[in-house]
Amino acid sequence: MKTRWIALAAAAGALTGCQNPPRVEDAWVRLPAVPGRPAAAYAIVSRGSTADRMTGVTTSAAGRSELHESMTGHGGMASMRPLQSLSFGGDHRILLRPGGTHVMLFDLKGDLRPGGTIPLTFRFEGWEDVTVDAKLVGAGDPAP
């Protein structure tokens, strides 16, 4: 009987160390129509075991990046506001999409063209960074 409890305790301890990282899927970037303007990045971010919040996104392809939220204000005017972080919803996901929350990429670097990719590094509270390649999409092209 004692051996069974030791085995169960060892198995429970091993499972405690098995944690799932956050996942980033379907990452893409809408390039600006006018050179020198910012781009916008989108993705589906799943929480994983322990990440509490997404605290930012960085890339070597931009001078700076900011989390933003789109909203409709008075008189139907669209506007954006910067966010410090994003919490995971009840479905344990953050949807970065056009017309909603997204990442603004300012001061783009290099010769970025539709069809290429750039690295995006997603930062989390309670977990390590996750880096993915995001597909570049032209300003007038359909979303992937």
Side-chain angles (χ1 to χ4, degrees), residues 14-75:
L15 288 176
T16 304
C18 295
Q19 296 178 353
N20 297 323
R23 274 191 341 265
V24 178
E25 301 171 294
D26 302 328
W28 61 286
V29 172
R30 169 86 59 204
L31 293 170
V34 178
R37 301 293 298 162
Y42 309 103
I44 299 170
V45 185
S46 299
R47 181 178 182 266
S49 303
T50 61
D52 296 323
R53 305 169 73 69
M54 186 173 78
T55 58
V57 178
T58 61
T59 179
S60 57
R64 70 183 168 94
S65 60
E66 295 177 1
L67 296 172
H68 274 223
E69 177 181 38
S70 296
M71 59 194 132
T72 303
H74 299 289

Side-chain angles (χ1 to χ4, degrees), residues 103-121:
V103 181
M104 295 298 298
L105 304 175
F106 298 94
D107 305 321
L108 298 176
K109 300 176 183 179
D111 186 25
L112 305 179
R113 297 184 183 273
T117 63
I118 62 169
L120 294 178
T121 299

